[in-house]
Each structure stands twice: as C-alpha cells, then as structure tokens.
Amino acid sequence: MNRKIMLKKFVCGIAVVALTNCCIGQRSDNPMKSRLDSTVDKLVKIYMKNGQRVGVSIGVGCDGKSYTYNYGETGPGSGQLPTAKSIYEIGSITKTFTGLLAAHALIEGRLTLNDDIRKYLPGSFSGLQYLSGEPVRIGYLLAHTSQLPNSFSDNIEERTFYDALQNVKLDSLKGIRYSYSNVGYQLLGLILEKIYQTSYANLVRRYITGPLKMYETGLRFEEQELKFQLKGYGVDGKEEKATPVSVPGAGSLRSSVADLLKYLHYQNLENAAPVRLSHRIIVGDVDQGAHAFQWEVGKNWSWDQYLRIDGGTPGFRSFCVMYPLKKIEVVILSNQKDDTAGPGLYKIATGIYGVLKNK
C-alpha cells in the first residue's frame, strides 16, 4: 500500500473519530422540527456543559399534546441514550404524592388538618408540642410549619426514626413559620400507612400510579422495569448510592419523564377533588410565594400562576412546573447532581415556558 493511500485512510480515520466524538457530545433524540425543539436543544446544550453532565430527560405538555426529549447517556461512557421510560430518582417530588395521599385521607374523613399527630404515633412523644401546649397538627406537617428537624440519618429505618422523634423538643410558640422538613413528610408517610393499614408503596399504587397507568413509578421495580432504572452520579462523575426506600414519604420514589407528564397533566386539570384540595394554599401569599400540600405556588415574571416542585438526591436532580391557566406542564430529570444543577433545570423550564406562552 503506497504512502498516499495510507495517509488518506489515516485522515479519514481521524475524521470519523472526530465526528463520532461530536455526535456523542450532542447525543439526543430531538427531531429539531419546531421552534420548541430548537429551544429545548439550545437550553439543554448549555446545561450539559459540553458533555460534562451525564443524562437529561425532558417532558413537555401543552394543548393536550406531549413531547419528550432525551440527551446524553444513561451512564458515563455507556453510549446509550436515555428514553422517556428511563427511571430517575425524583427526590422531593415524592412529597407531592404524599400530599395527594393525605388529601384523599382528608376527603375520606380518615384525617383532619387539626389532628394532633400524636394520635397516630406509637407512644406519648411529649416533646411534640409547642411552648403554649398546642400539639403539632397534621396541617403543620403538610405546610412545613411544624418546626420539626429538616432530617435525621440518611439511612434511617422506621424504628430508629421513631427513636429520633422521641428526642425532638420544640421551642417555638406555634407552627406558623415556614421551615422545610423532610422529617415532617416522612412522618406523614408513616401516618398514612397506619391509617390505611398498608404500605406507602401500595397507597401510591392504589390512588395514583394504578389509575394513571404510571408503570415506571414506584419505590421498587420488577425485573422487567429494572433495566430502565438509571444510576446517579455526583459532581465528579462518581456513582452515588441509591436513595433508601425506608420511611419513604419525603423522597424515595423513582419515576420516568413519560409517567411524570401523565401525573402533571392529571394535576393540572384539577378534575379530582383530592387534587384540588392538595393545591389549596395553607401558608403564604400567592403574590409573594405560597405553599400548598408541598407544591410551591406563585407567579412568574409575567404574573402567570404556577405550581412547581424540585427534587434532589445525591445523584439526581429533578424539576416539575405546571401553569393552570395555560395548561402547560414541564418536567426535567437529570442523573447527575452538582451545585448548579437545580438552577440549570429551572432555566430550561423557564425558557420552554417562554416559547409555549407565545405560541
């Protein structure tokens, strides 16, 4: 083989490698046929930082139509694109499921917002009252005004959770000040299990994922779904441990973009009484920022009302927002978490809404 042919093959080989690397850096199923497609592509490429993040899945609902987009890889170096069925940890988005289950219990008369939470606990828990003697109430857990700690141990089990709760001493006068508490929603999950005499997973399946046919949402999965479950990665690309599913009410659910689009659309329609109840503001002012049953309720730069929720676990970041008047829903899931992941997902969602609003 002469040198000219060898040189030509060498140059072609370099070109192929360069093209492959370029395609890997921009791996996506975005069809690039509409203004929405182009906007998503531009926003996600900024978020992906030239391939420094792992995978992202985006879902958009508008005018009764759904669109999904996937970027990156399921894991570093896998070469496999996420899909609309890829299962991510969704962190505190779980709390909206817990809030909706609580709304069902309220409507069924199994709970009231004014109930002393100790009514449902295995023991006296004398510390769960304020200086005035008023008890912690169910409504305070839902609104994050209970003043309970933000969290206990990451790998806590039910028995040790109650042990830790026994040591809590509240020093405020009353549950009126907003203070975010994972413990409060973990406790709500346990209370719901006691009321219904079944597991949290069964309650989610009975009231939410079953009726909505959300087959990629749950705490644990059968073998056929496990192939869709992604691993999470930290700031340095190191694989993180999966979030425990014990005491699950605050942040243990996993889900896919396809499923969360169904969930957000169901929430946004507000056709069901429990959904409407779970959107009722129980602390704050919508013009200044308010809170319903975990949902943050407010108005954006153009005074359009939204309900939104974000979530984070050691290896995942997630964001959901819906606009009731416009009937627009956006969900974004990422399997890598770093300090700018949350604001980055928010920017993607805001940019998408800007295009849809003026559609």
Short mmCIF file of all heavy atoms in Angstrom, two decimals, residues 132-171:
data_model
loop_
_atom_site.label_atom_id
_atom_site.label_comp_id
_atom_site.label_asym_id
_atom_site.label_seq_id
_atom_site.Cartn_x
_atom_site.Cartn_y
_atom_site.Cartn_z
N SER A 132 -46.71 26.77 74.17
CA SER A 132 -48.06 27.09 74.61
C SER A 132 -48.85 25.85 75.02
O SER A 132 -49.94 25.95 75.57
CB SER A 132 -48.82 27.80 73.49
OG SER A 132 -48.98 26.93 72.37
N GLY A 133 -48.31 24.66 74.71
CA GLY A 133 -49.04 23.42 74.97
C GLY A 133 -49.78 22.90 73.76
O GLY A 133 -50.32 21.78 73.79
N GLU A 134 -49.84 23.71 72.69
CA GLU A 134 -50.54 23.26 71.48
C GLU A 134 -49.75 22.15 70.80
O GLU A 134 -48.52 22.23 70.69
CB GLU A 134 -50.72 24.42 70.50
CG GLU A 134 -51.46 23.99 69.24
CD GLU A 134 -51.58 25.12 68.22
OE1 GLU A 134 -51.07 26.22 68.48
OE2 GLU A 134 -52.18 24.87 67.17
N PRO A 135 -50.43 21.10 70.32
CA PRO A 135 -49.72 20.00 69.68
C PRO A 135 -49.33 20.32 68.24
O PRO A 135 -49.86 21.24 67.62
CB PRO A 135 -50.77 18.87 69.71
CG PRO A 135 -52.08 19.59 69.61
CD PRO A 135 -51.88 20.86 70.42
N VAL A 136 -48.41 19.54 67.71
CA VAL A 136 -48.13 19.58 66.27
C VAL A 136 -49.32 18.96 65.56
O VAL A 136 -49.78 17.88 65.93
CB VAL A 136 -46.85 18.79 65.93
CG1 VAL A 136 -46.61 18.81 64.42
CG2 VAL A 136 -45.65 19.36 66.67
N ARG A 137 -49.81 19.65 64.54
CA ARG A 137 -51.01 19.19 63.84
C ARG A 137 -50.67 18.71 62.43
O ARG A 137 -49.63 19.07 61.86
CB ARG A 137 -52.04 20.31 63.78
CG ARG A 137 -52.43 20.83 65.17
CD ARG A 137 -53.57 21.84 65.11
NE ARG A 137 -53.80 22.47 66.41
CZ ARG A 137 -54.51 21.93 67.40
NH1 ARG A 137 -55.05 20.73 67.24
NH2 ARG A 137 -54.66 22.56 68.54
N ILE A 138 -51.57 17.91 61.87
CA ILE A 138 -51.37 17.37 60.52
C ILE A 138 -51.13 18.50 59.52
O ILE A 138 -50.25 18.41 58.66
CB ILE A 138 -52.58 16.53 60.08
CG1 ILE A 138 -52.69 15.24 60.91
CG2 ILE A 138 -52.50 16.20 58.58
CD1 ILE A 138 -51.56 14.24 60.69
N GLY A 139 -51.89 19.57 59.61
CA GLY A 139 -51.74 20.70 58.69
C GLY A 139 -50.35 21.31 58.74
O GLY A 139 -49.84 21.79 57.73
N TYR A 140 -49.71 21.29 59.93
CA TYR A 140 -48.37 21.85 60.06
C TYR A 140 -47.34 20.99 59.32
O TYR A 140 -46.37 21.52 58.77
CB TYR A 140 -47.98 21.97 61.53
CG TYR A 140 -48.88 22.86 62.37
CD1 TYR A 140 -48.80 22.84 63.75
CD2 TYR A 140 -49.80 23.72 61.77
CE1 TYR A 140 -49.60 23.65 64.54
CE2 TYR A 140 -50.62 24.53 62.54
CZ TYR A 140 -50.52 24.49 63.92
OH TYR A 140 -51.33 25.30 64.69
N LEU A 141 -47.55 19.67 59.33
CA LEU A 141 -46.65 18.80 58.58
C LEU A 141 -46.76 19.09 57.08
O LEU A 141 -45.75 19.20 56.38
CB LEU A 141 -46.98 17.32 58.83
CG LEU A 141 -46.86 16.80 60.26
CD1 LEU A 141 -47.15 15.30 60.28
CD2 LEU A 141 -45.49 17.08 60.85
N LEU A 142 -47.99 19.21 56.60
CA LEU A 142 -48.22 19.45 55.17
C LEU A 142 -47.64 20.77 54.72
O LEU A 142 -47.12 20.90 53.61
CB LEU A 142 -49.72 19.41 54.86
CG LEU A 142 -50.37 18.02 54.85
CD1 LEU A 142 -51.88 18.14 54.92
CD2 LEU A 142 -49.94 17.25 53.62
N ALA A 143 -47.70 21.79 55.58
CA ALA A 143 -47.28 23.14 55.22
C ALA A 143 -45.83 23.45 55.56
O ALA A 143 -45.36 24.55 55.32
CB ALA A 143 -48.20 24.16 55.89
N HIS A 144 -45.11 22.49 56.13
CA HIS A 144 -43.74 22.72 56.58
C HIS A 144 -43.67 23.85 57.63
O HIS A 144 -42.75 24.67 57.62
CB HIS A 144 -42.82 23.08 55.41
CG HIS A 144 -42.53 21.94 54.49
ND1 HIS A 144 -41.72 20.89 54.82
CD2 HIS A 144 -42.97 21.70 53.22
CE1 HIS A 144 -41.64 20.04 53.80
NE2 HIS A 144 -42.40 20.51 52.83
N THR A 145 -44.63 23.87 58.52
CA THR A 145 -44.59 24.86 59.61
C THR A 145 -44.51 24.19 60.97
O THR A 145 -44.70 24.83 62.01
CB THR A 145 -45.84 25.77 59.57
OG1 THR A 145 -47.02 24.97 59.70
CG2 THR A 145 -45.89 26.58 58.29
N SER A 146 -44.20 22.91 61.01
CA SER A 146 -44.19 22.16 62.27
C SER A 146 -42.97 22.49 63.13
O SER A 146 -42.98 22.25 64.33
CB SER A 146 -44.20 20.66 61.99
OG SER A 146 -42.99 20.26 61.36
N GLN A 147 -41.89 23.00 62.52
CA GLN A 147 -40.60 23.23 63.18
C GLN A 147 -39.88 21.93 63.54
O GLN A 147 -38.94 21.94 64.35
CB GLN A 147 -40.75 24.10 64.44
CG GLN A 147 -41.61 25.34 64.26
CD GLN A 147 -41.21 26.19 63.07
OE1 GLN A 147 -40.04 26.43 62.87
NE2 GLN A 147 -42.18 26.63 62.29
N LEU A 148 -40.29 20.82 62.93
CA LEU A 148 -39.54 19.57 63.09
C LEU A 148 -38.20 19.70 62.35
O LEU A 148 -38.06 20.52 61.45
CB LEU A 148 -40.34 18.40 62.52
CG LEU A 148 -41.56 17.94 63.34
CD1 LEU A 148 -42.35 16.90 62.58
CD2 LEU A 148 -41.12 17.40 64.70
N PRO A 149 -37.20 18.90 62.73
CA PRO A 149 -35.90 18.99 62.05
C PRO A 149 -36.01 18.75 60.56
O PRO A 149 -36.96 18.10 60.08
CB PRO A 149 -35.09 17.88 62.73
CG PRO A 149 -35.76 17.62 64.02
CD PRO A 149 -37.22 17.89 63.80
N ASN A 150 -35.03 19.24 59.82
CA ASN A 150 -35.02 19.02 58.37
C ASN A 150 -34.85 17.53 58.07
O ASN A 150 -35.51 16.99 57.19
CB ASN A 150 -33.89 19.82 57.73
CG ASN A 150 -33.82 19.60 56.22
OD1 ASN A 150 -34.83 19.36 55.59
ND2 ASN A 150 -32.65 19.66 55.66
N SER A 151 -33.96 16.86 58.80
CA SER A 151 -33.73 15.45 58.52
C SER A 151 -33.09 14.76 59.71
O SER A 151 -32.51 15.40 60.59
CB SER A 151 -32.84 15.28 57.28
OG SER A 151 -31.57 15.85 57.51
N PHE A 152 -33.22 13.42 59.73
CA PHE A 152 -32.47 12.58 60.64
C PHE A 152 -31.38 11.90 59.81
O PHE A 152 -30.93 12.46 58.82
CB PHE A 152 -33.39 11.55 61.30
CG PHE A 152 -34.44 12.14 62.22
CD1 PHE A 152 -35.73 11.60 62.30
CD2 PHE A 152 -34.14 13.24 63.02
CE1 PHE A 152 -36.69 12.15 63.15
CE2 PHE A 152 -35.09 13.79 63.88
CZ PHE A 152 -36.37 13.24 63.94
N SER A 153 -30.99 10.71 60.15
CA SER A 153 -29.98 9.98 59.40
C SER A 153 -30.49 9.64 57.99
O SER A 153 -31.68 9.37 57.80
CB SER A 153 -29.63 8.69 60.14
OG SER A 153 -28.87 7.83 59.33
N ASP A 154 -29.58 9.62 57.01
CA ASP A 154 -29.96 9.31 55.63
C ASP A 154 -30.50 7.90 55.47
O ASP A 154 -31.37 7.65 54.63
CB ASP A 154 -28.75 9.50 54.70
CG ASP A 154 -28.36 10.96 54.53
OD1 ASP A 154 -29.22 11.82 54.78
OD2 ASP A 154 -27.20 11.22 54.17
N ASN A 155 -29.99 6.97 56.24
CA ASN A 155 -30.37 5.55 56.09
C ASN A 155 -31.26 5.08 57.22
O ASN A 155 -31.23 3.92 57.62
CB ASN A 155 -29.11 4.68 56.02
CG ASN A 155 -28.26 5.00 54.81
OD1 ASN A 155 -28.77 5.05 53.70
ND2 ASN A 155 -26.99 5.26 55.03
N ILE A 156 -32.08 5.97 57.74
CA ILE A 156 -32.88 5.65 58.92
C ILE A 156 -33.97 4.64 58.61
O ILE A 156 -34.56 4.63 57.52
CB ILE A 156 -33.48 6.95 59.51
CG1 ILE A 156 -33.86 6.76 60.97
CG2 ILE A 156 -34.66 7.44 58.67
CD1 ILE A 156 -34.02 8.06 61.73
N GLU A 157 -34.24 3.77 59.55
CA GLU A 157 -35.34 2.81 59.46
C GLU A 157 -36.49 3.30 60.34
O GLU A 157 -36.33 4.22 61.14
CB GLU A 157 -34.86 1.43 59.93
CG GLU A 157 -33.72 0.85 59.13
CD GLU A 157 -34.14 0.43 57.73
OE1 GLU A 157 -35.35 0.14 57.54
OE2 GLU A 157 -33.28 0.38 56.84
N GLU A 158 -37.65 2.66 60.19
CA GLU A 158 -38.84 3.12 60.91
C GLU A 158 -38.62 3.16 62.42
O GLU A 158 -38.97 4.14 63.09
CB GLU A 158 -40.04 2.24 60.57
CG GLU A 158 -41.33 2.70 61.25
CD GLU A 158 -42.54 1.89 60.81
OE1 GLU A 158 -42.52 1.33 59.69
OE2 GLU A 158 -43.51 1.82 61.59
N ARG A 159 -38.03 2.11 62.98
CA ARG A 159 -37.84 2.05 64.44
C ARG A 159 -36.93 3.17 64.92
O ARG A 159 -37.24 3.87 65.89
CB ARG A 159 -37.26 0.69 64.83
CG ARG A 159 -37.01 0.54 66.34
CD ARG A 159 -36.35 -0.79 66.66
NE ARG A 159 -35.11 -0.96 65.96
CZ ARG A 159 -33.95 -0.41 66.33
NH1 ARG A 159 -33.90 0.36 67.42
NH2 ARG A 159 -32.85 -0.63 65.65
N THR A 160 -35.79 3.35 64.23
CA THR A 160 -34.86 4.40 64.65
C THR A 160 -35.40 5.79 64.35
O THR A 160 -35.05 6.75 65.02
CB THR A 160 -33.49 4.20 63.98
OG1 THR A 160 -33.68 4.01 62.57
CG2 THR A 160 -32.78 3.00 64.55
N PHE A 161 -36.30 5.89 63.36
CA PHE A 161 -36.96 7.17 63.09
C PHE A 161 -37.79 7.59 64.29
O PHE A 161 -37.72 8.73 64.76
CB PHE A 161 -37.85 7.05 61.84
CG PHE A 161 -38.62 8.30 61.51
CD1 PHE A 161 -38.06 9.28 60.70
CD2 PHE A 161 -39.90 8.50 62.01
CE1 PHE A 161 -38.76 10.44 60.39
CE2 PHE A 161 -40.62 9.66 61.70
CZ PHE A 161 -40.05 10.62 60.89
N TYR A 162 -38.57 6.66 64.83
CA TYR A 162 -39.40 6.98 65.99
C TYR A 162 -38.53 7.26 67.22
O TYR A 162 -38.88 8.12 68.05
CB TYR A 162 -40.38 5.84 66.28
CG TYR A 162 -41.58 5.83 65.36
CD1 TYR A 162 -41.93 4.69 64.64
CD2 TYR A 162 -42.39 6.96 65.22
CE1 TYR A 162 -43.04 4.68 63.80
CE2 TYR A 162 -43.50 6.96 64.38
CZ TYR A 162 -43.82 5.81 63.67
OH TYR A 162 -44.91 5.81 62.83
N ASP A 163 -37.41 6.56 67.34
CA ASP A 163 -36.49 6.84 68.45
C ASP A 163 -35.98 8.27 68.37
O ASP A 163 -35.92 8.99 69.38
CB ASP A 163 -35.30 5.87 68.42
CG ASP A 163 -35.68 4.45 68.80
OD1 ASP A 163 -36.77 4.27 69.40
OD2 ASP A 163 -34.90 3.52 68.50
N ALA A 164 -35.60 8.70 67.17
CA ALA A 164 -35.11 10.07 66.98
C ALA A 164 -36.22 11.08 67.24
O ALA A 164 -35.99 12.15 67.81
CB ALA A 164 -34.56 10.23 65.56
N LEU A 165 -37.45 10.72 66.85
CA LEU A 165 -38.58 11.63 67.04
C LEU A 165 -38.88 11.83 68.53
O LEU A 165 -39.31 12.91 68.95
CB LEU A 165 -39.81 11.08 66.31
CG LEU A 165 -40.97 12.04 66.05
CD1 LEU A 165 -40.52 13.19 65.13
CD2 LEU A 165 -42.14 11.29 65.42
N GLN A 166 -38.62 10.80 69.32
CA GLN A 166 -38.84 10.90 70.76
C GLN A 166 -37.94 11.97 71.39
O GLN A 166 -38.28 12.55 72.42
CB GLN A 166 -38.57 9.55 71.44
CG GLN A 166 -39.68 8.54 71.31
CD GLN A 166 -40.83 8.80 72.29
OE1 GLN A 166 -40.91 9.86 72.90
NE2 GLN A 166 -41.73 7.83 72.39
N ASN A 167 -36.81 12.22 70.79
CA ASN A 167 -35.85 13.18 71.34
C ASN A 167 -36.06 14.61 70.86
O ASN A 167 -35.33 15.52 71.27
CB ASN A 167 -34.42 12.74 70.98
CG ASN A 167 -34.05 11.43 71.63
OD1 ASN A 167 -34.41 11.18 72.78
ND2 ASN A 167 -33.32 10.58 70.91
N VAL A 168 -37.05 14.82 69.99
CA VAL A 168 -37.31 16.16 69.47
C VAL A 168 -37.99 17.01 70.55
O VAL A 168 -38.97 16.58 71.17
CB VAL A 168 -38.19 16.10 68.20
CG1 VAL A 168 -38.68 17.49 67.81
CG2 VAL A 168 -37.42 15.47 67.05
N LYS A 169 -37.50 18.23 70.74
CA LYS A 169 -38.13 19.20 71.65
C LYS A 169 -38.36 20.49 70.87
O LYS A 169 -37.42 21.09 70.34
CB LYS A 169 -37.22 19.48 72.85
CG LYS A 169 -36.86 18.26 73.68
CD LYS A 169 -38.07 17.69 74.40
CE LYS A 169 -37.67 16.48 75.26
NZ LYS A 169 -38.85 15.86 75.91
N LEU A 170 -39.60 20.89 70.76
CA LEU A 170 -39.94 22.10 70.01
C LEU A 170 -39.87 23.32 70.94
O LEU A 170 -40.40 23.29 72.05
CB LEU A 170 -41.34 21.97 69.41
CG LEU A 170 -41.52 20.79 68.44
CD1 LEU A 170 -42.97 20.68 67.99
CD2 LEU A 170 -40.61 20.94 67.24
N ASP A 171 -39.22 24.37 70.45
CA ASP A 171 -39.04 25.54 71.32
C ASP A 171 -39.76 26.78 70.81
O ASP A 171 -39.58 27.87 71.33
CB ASP A 171 -37.55 25.86 71.50
CG ASP A 171 -36.85 26.11 70.16
OD1 ASP A 171 -37.54 26.14 69.12
OD2 ASP A 171 -35.61 26.27 70.17
#
